Amino acid sequence: MESNRTSPAPPPAVPSGGSRGLAGPTSARAKRSFLRELPEPDVFVVTSGGRRIPAHTGILASVSPVLENLIYRPSKRRSSEKIVPILGVPCNAVSAFVEFVYSSRCTEEEMEKYDVHLLALAHVYSVPQLKQRCVESLRQRLTVDSVVDLLQLSRLCSSPELELRCMKLVHHQFKAVEQTEGWRFLQHHDPWLELDILHFIDESESRKKRTKRQRDDQKLYLQLSEAMDCLEHICTEGCTTVGPHDADPATARKEPCGKFATCQGLQTLIRHFAACGKRVSGGCGGCKSVWRLLRLHAAVCDQPNSCKVPLCRQLKLRSQREKRKDGARWRLLARKVALAKAMSSLSQAMMRRRRPEEVLDMFSRSSRARGGTRSFKLGK
């Protein structure tokens, strides 16, 4: 009978072999040499099928603290033969487990057949190297049909890496997962896990929307920052057809600047703003855009007495005198615009792989631009 059969001893570990062991004829000779130096096996690993695998207590105890406790715990039996039962998994999986304990190796064929059982054994007997190997194997062969079963297993075996991978696959292919037998079994027998999956999907979608909204806001802040730069540039130096209000238009800069697309659109709005008859009562949509840009510039500018941007000093004095309730909102918007520009400059500098001192200098100059650092206190 199978219960009386004794399988050959597994190959022992070679101390210098590493996690993958040695390869080739040298490895085989080293194993045979090390095997001859080992004492006789003093413990038997017994499987569910009755197979008895001879082993050595010192090796088992050195690899697994759980096996160490099982080997050296007091026994009520008077027999001198030590037995370690490993039940509930196929005999060949137990043999592969003992093989790994000795040699820190496991063939691809064994891993493909028994990775689920080996993961359970690695978790129960605290063998982290084997557990990591099994998790990597299961991640590579994860499918829609097996994802629910592996998700349950990852929770039982405390493998957050595999659990997260399973959750992401369920999220990306939820409609296909819903049609599997594993999902139907989950709905009837583990509603708490189903709730956790739905909660994860909801959180992922919310995070995706939040990230998109933040990206859109960042893009808007960068556009506002560029428009403010162009406004100050037009009102100070002049560009193509529009120049400073206290200078002759003929002396305005005729050649296009580096931000010509933004400057051209802003010049069109400025010419419309100067000629529009509705601007006194709030104006049309174009006039309102110019008013907002002027208001934002006034909130940022720290030299209103010498600033050449129209209405800068008047808008700042009016805001201080009337203590408008929306002043805090404008200051917050100005701070976000300055921060977005600074972070964009820092990101571009890092992508160009500049030296750290150059990146910090650029960030400092961007923060001081238009009084961005001196005008606002982020801590309050």
Side-chain angles (χ1 to χ4, degrees), residues 299-312:
V300 174
C301 183
D302 61 341
Q303 297 178 348
N305 294 327
S306 59
C307 182
K308 291 188 176 182
V309 176
L311 305 177
C312 176

Side-chain angles (χ1 to χ4, degrees), residues 189-230:
H189 297 87
D190 198 349
W192 289 109
L193 180 55
E194 179 188 7
L195 184 63
D196 288 343
I197 293 174
L198 296 178
H199 180 70
F200 177 85
I201 294 175
D202 182 66
E203 284 291 326
S204 299
E205 291 297 327
S206 300
R207 185 165 53 251
K208 186 185 299 183
K209 293 179 181 178
R210 186 165 56 251
T211 302
K212 183 180 182 301
R213 184 169 60 251
Q214 292 174 352
R215 191 183 299 113
D216 293 341
D217 291 344
Q218 184 79 359
K219 184 178 179 180
L220 175 61
Y221 296 148
L222 290 176
Q223 290 175 348
L224 286 174
S225 175
E226 185 174 341
M228 290 172 61
D229 289 343
C230 290

